[in-house]
Amino acid sequence: MGLPGGGKSTVGRQLARRLGARFLDADIVLEERIGMPIRAYFEQHGEAAFRDLEEQVIDELTREGGAPLVLATGGGSVLRPANRACLHERTTVIYLRSTPEELYRRLRHDTQRPLLQVADPLAKLRELYDQRHPLYDEVAHHRVDTGRPSVSTLVNMIMMQMDMAGLLPALGHDAAVSPDPAP
Ligand code: S3P
């Protein structure tokens, strides 16, 4: 989890590949269910209705047993206490921590994220950071700073933390932290 634009989907997809796990993006699952982009849903039904659906989707996806899954969650999923509890208790939460300035550089031309369609997106990102950083930090089991490292370095850093926590029993240490991700 982490703020919008921090690379949750990109890093999550590559982490899943390295772990031999499935990857799902909760926002995409949600868009498939509502049959429209999130931005349109926000405009027609409002944020509260979106958050209700998001809570339902996260509850369902974190209940699934069976095959290992890497799940990317929308940046605002941390706002609901029910999501915080279920993500912390049922999953291993990785917080991709990014500064508002870094996110602004990546998202200044974004048109899809409803919360950022405002006159001053940087101020909005600072406000989101102040509000959400303590919550991400509270829910997370592991944290990585997204600033400079490449995606594959971030994935290595996450795998190293998971390995040290004994979460990668199937992999030898070398496999877990190899600098050369499988294609
Ligand atoms: C949101 C972030 C978005 C999406 C929705 C609301 C938020 O996901 O769930 O637009 O409140 O920060 P990303 O974090 O993947 O952009």
Side-chain angles (χ1 to χ4, degrees):
M1 61 173 32
L3 284 172
K8 298 184 292 288
S9 303
T10 313
V11 171
R13 192 170 284 113
Q14 204 175 113
L15 177 65
R17 200 178 306 141
R18 293 279 302 279
L19 293 171
R22 258 188 339 139
F23 172 76
L24 282 176
D25 183 326
D27 280 345
I28 291 177
V29 173
L30 219 147
E31 284 185 330
E32 280 165 4
R33 288 202 190 170
I34 58 187
M36 67 175 87
I38 287 173
R39 184 177 174 185
Y41 192 86
F42 253 68
E43 280 162 14
Q44 289 177 31
H45 303 277
E47 182 171 348
F50 169 79
R51 298 288 172 211
D52 287 343
L53 282 175
E54 182 177 51
E55 187 176 325
Q56 223 174 305
V57 165
I58 287 175
D59 178 45
E60 281 174 36
L61 296 178
T62 55
R63 260 175 212 281
E64 285 182 10
L69 171 70
V70 174
L71 175 67
T73 50
S77 55
V78 77
L79 296 171
R80 291 261 171 117
N83 292 339
R84 296 204 290 278
C86 106
L87 288 166
H88 186 81
E89 283 157 24
R90 298 178 190 166
T91 76
T92 300
V93 179
I94 297 148
Y95 171 23
L96 299 189
R97 185 171 45 199
S98 319
T99 65
E101 292 73 20
E102 173 196 341
L103 297 173
Y104 177 67
R105 279 195 296 278
R106 295 191 196 177
L107 294 178
R108 62 189 190 278
H109 302 302
D110 178 84
T111 57
Q112 294 311 308
R113 291 171 170 90
L115 295 181
L116 299 180
Q117 309 312 307
V118 293
D120 189 348
L122 177 58
K124 183 68 189 180
L125 284 164
R126 287 185 173 136
E127 180 192 319
L128 292 177
Y129 182 90
D130 290 345
Q131 177 192 30
R132 295 178 181 179
H133 166 75
L135 301 175
Y136 294 134
D137 210 37
E138 168 200 317
V139 177
H141 299 96
H142 302 287
R143 297 147 190 87
V144 289
D145 286 315
T146 62
R148 290 181 172 277
S150 65
V151 170
S152 54
T153 302
L154 285 172
V155 170
N156 273 335
M157 288 160 71
I158 293 166
M159 291 189 65
M160 225 183 290
Q161 290 194 31
M162 292 177 73
D163 194 23
M164 284 166 67
L167 292 168
L168 303 179
L171 297 174
H173 184 74
D174 289 346
V177 298
S178 158
D180 300 310

